[in-house]
Each structure stands twice: as structure tokens, then as C-alpha cells.
Amino acid sequence: KVAELVKGLLMPHFKKKIITKDEYKDIMRKSVNKVVKRGSSDIKEEKISKLVNAYVDHYRAKRTKSSKDDDIF
């Protein structure tokens, strides 16, 4: 159930090419593991949505930072 929820939240970002395929897989794995590891049977979509969006923002910032660093040389 958690994987389906995360997949539904991530897919729009992937379809709009905001994140790459590898980033999608990383975010999917990290998000599901983090939610499942927490062990709560009460899955709150709002919290998972915030987690996924934070990961997307992190990966976007990381990618733009690395591309800016490449421009220096």
C-alpha cells in the first residue's frame, strides 16, 4: 500500500521530467523504506506527500548544483 501511494505521488514529477528515472527509483526506495521502517500502521497520506516532495526538491537542487559546478570548468 505504501509503495502504491508513493508511486502515485512521484509519477507526476517523473512524467513532467522534473526527476530522472534513477532519481525516481532512489526516491521510491528511500521513501518506502522510511515509512515502513517507522512501523506505524496508521499511514498518513499528507506526511508521505511532504516526504516525497522534500526528496524531489532535494534531488532537483542536487542536480542543478552539480550542473552549475560543471559549467565552471
Side-chain angles (χ1 to χ4, degrees):
K1 183 177 177 180
V2 175
E4 291 174 15
L5 181 60
V6 172
K7 182 179 179 181
L9 293 168
L10 264 182
M11 197 49 73
H13 297 289
F14 180 69
K15 295 275 186 188
K16 292 178 186 175
K17 307 232 186 265
I18 295 172
I19 56 174
T20 65
K21 183 178 179 181
D22 289 332
E23 291 169 342
Y24 173 88
K25 290 192 282 187
D26 286 345
I27 295 170
M28 183 77 173
R29 184 176 3 91
K30 287 181 179 184
S31 297
V32 171
N33 285 341
K34 192 166 192 173
V35 172
V36 171
K37 198 180 262 188
R38 193 176 60 163
S40 175
S41 61
D42 183 25
I43 299 168
K44 296 184 179 170
E45 187 173 343
E46 182 181 323
K47 283 189 172 187
I48 295 173
S49 177
K50 286 181 182 181
L51 175 69
V52 169
N53 287 330
Y55 274 128
V56 169
D57 291 342
H58 171 76
Y59 276 87
R60 284 178 64 191
K62 186 173 156 182
R63 188 172 2 108
T64 56
K65 182 180 180 218
S66 68
S67 66
K68 285 181 183 178
D69 291 344
D70 292 344
D71 292 342
I72 293 172
F73 299 108

